[in-house]
Amino acid sequence: MALTATAKAQWQLHFCVLLWGFTAILGKLISLPALALVWWRMLVVVLCLACVPRVWRALRAVPRRLLGIYAVIGVLVSLHWLTFYGAIKLANASVAVTCLALAPAFLAVVEPWIARRPFDVRELLLGVAVLPGVALVVGGVPAGMMLGIGVGALSALLVSFFIAMNKRYAGDSDSLMVTALELGTGVLLLPLLAPLFDGGLGALLQPPQGRDAVLLMVLSLGCTLLPFTLSLVALRQLSAFSAQLAVNLEPLYSIVLAALLLGEQRELGLAFYAGVAVVLAAVFLHPLIARRPELVAPDALAGDAGR
């Protein structure tokens, strides 16, 4: 039986979310430090987008004020990815994606401030609901992973700012151009941060070799550009409610994949997984308390979901 357009879009979006779920796994498997991993990932994506004429046409039409705003968002994206992969290196993939699931709670506070709208008490309750889960997560990880939890929580805070600003400023612009400009800003920014990290600029600019090079291409093309492109098509057929439910599955996919492929369940206690259940339950409440079930803006949510 042929699938309806909506059913096809749902399967397509779930496939994209599964690919995004692999980003944390690849971040653990790639031996590059977080700074080099993020810089090379951004560079590969930007070089690919630079080959698309549509990107250059859209770039010429963007007002200078928006160029500056997109550059600021690009700084947030860079720091978010840097802290996300830093959390993976300092702890593991399961811990990093669980921390990232805190983003909707941060967003409940950040988005009204950036969008200049009143705070919604229902959304603020989401932030309160995740706190018991966070306490369980902290109690269920080894002491050596505590720094990773802190860095992961910072990553979630940064992505909440990124999401809120993208929703406010990027909705009417070409999505590929916005992505190229934001990640291009990161390509320019991260070398400036290199002296703060071991190895400095030389370690950052050393091309990945062998297995790392292959996995990095999979991360950049298979888990970044491919799902981004597919999701833009799928999201046009879905409501914000159904799309957000699908995207919220990403941490769950990553945790299951981390257990199957990396055996991370051996590093974590029962309290961690109990905390994950509480956090994810709160996250799944987010679309239920959303104000309007309208069709989602594809450019905004596709950019938000990408890891």
Side-chain angles (χ1 to χ4, degrees):
M1 181 179 294
L3 293 175
T4 64
T6 299
K8 182 179 178 181
Q10 287 174 335
W11 281 106
Q12 191 167 310
L13 182 58
H14 276 284
F15 176 65
C16 293
V17 175
L18 179 61
L19 291 178
W20 285 322
F22 271 102
T23 60
I25 309 303
L26 291 169
K28 189 68 175 180
L29 293 175
I30 295 172
S31 65
L32 296 176
L35 185 71
L37 188 159
V38 172
W39 189 77
W40 282 102
R41 180 189 185 188
M42 287 184 162
L43 180 62
V44 171
V45 174
V46 169
L47 290 177
C48 291
L49 292 176
C51 299
V52 180
R54 161 185 160 185
V55 171
W56 294 101
R57 289 195 299 268
L59 188 60
R60 288 193 292 268
V62 178
R64 289 186 178 180
R65 175 177 175 272
L66 274 181
L67 287 176
I69 291 172
Y70 294 151
V72 171
I73 297 174
V75 171
L76 292 173
V77 175
S78 304
L79 296 178
H80 156 59
W81 276 3
L82 183 59
T83 49
F84 176 62
Y85 287 104
I88 292 173
K89 303 296 183 181
L90 291 168
N92 60 29
S94 298
V95 169
V97 296
T98 300
C99 291
L100 201 59
L102 299 175
F106 287 126
L107 192 62
V109 177
V110 169
E111 186 180 8
W113 175 57
I114 291 179
R116 297 177 182 176
R117 65 168 174 83
F119 288 96
D120 190 318
V121 175
R122 295 170 299 174
E123 293 181 347
L124 290 175
L125 289 175
L126 174 68
V128 177
V130 303
L131 293 180
V134 172
L136 287 169
V137 165
V138 171
V141 303
M145 293 186 181
M146 291 302 175
L147 180 57
I149 290 179
V151 174
L154 176 59
S155 180
L157 177 62
L158 289 167
V159 81
S160 69
F161 277 97
F162 156 56
I163 291 172
M165 291 189 68
N166 245 11
K167 284 183 177 179
R168 179 172 180 183
Y169 295 107
D172 296 329
S173 298
D174 182 88
S175 55
L176 292 180
M177 180 277 296
V178 172
T179 300
L181 185 56
E182 290 176 357
L183 299 192
T185 301
V187 171
L188 298 177
L189 169 70
L190 293 184
L192 300 179
L193 301 180
L196 303 176
F197 293 81
D198 292 340
L201 188 61
L204 176 65
L205 299 180
Q206 185 175 353
Q209 303 293 325
R211 178 172 176 265
D212 280 345
V214 173
L215 293 178
L216 187 66
M217 294 303 293
V218 173
L219 175 63
S220 303
L221 303 179
C223 297
T224 305
L225 274 181
L226 175 60
F228 178 83
T229 305
L230 290 176
S231 65
L232 286 181
V233 178
L235 290 169
R236 290 188 174 95
Q237 302 291 331
L238 301 175
S239 69
F241 175 81
S242 58
Q244 192 64 59
L245 279 179
V247 170
N248 285 347
L249 284 170
E250 183 191 342
L252 182 59
Y253 287 160
S254 293
I255 290 170
V256 171
L257 289 170
L260 294 175
L261 301 178
L262 304 176
E264 288 188 355
Q265 75 279 5
R266 294 191 293 269
E267 303 173 347
L268 304 166
L270 182 60
F272 171 83
Y273 289 102
V276 167
V278 173
V279 170
L280 291 181
V283 168
F284 276 102
L285 285 175
H286 188 244
L288 294 173
I289 63 177
R291 291 174 301 281
R292 296 180 303 275
E294 73 276 9
L295 282 178
V296 70
D299 296 352
L301 188 53
D304 299 347
R307 300 289 181 253

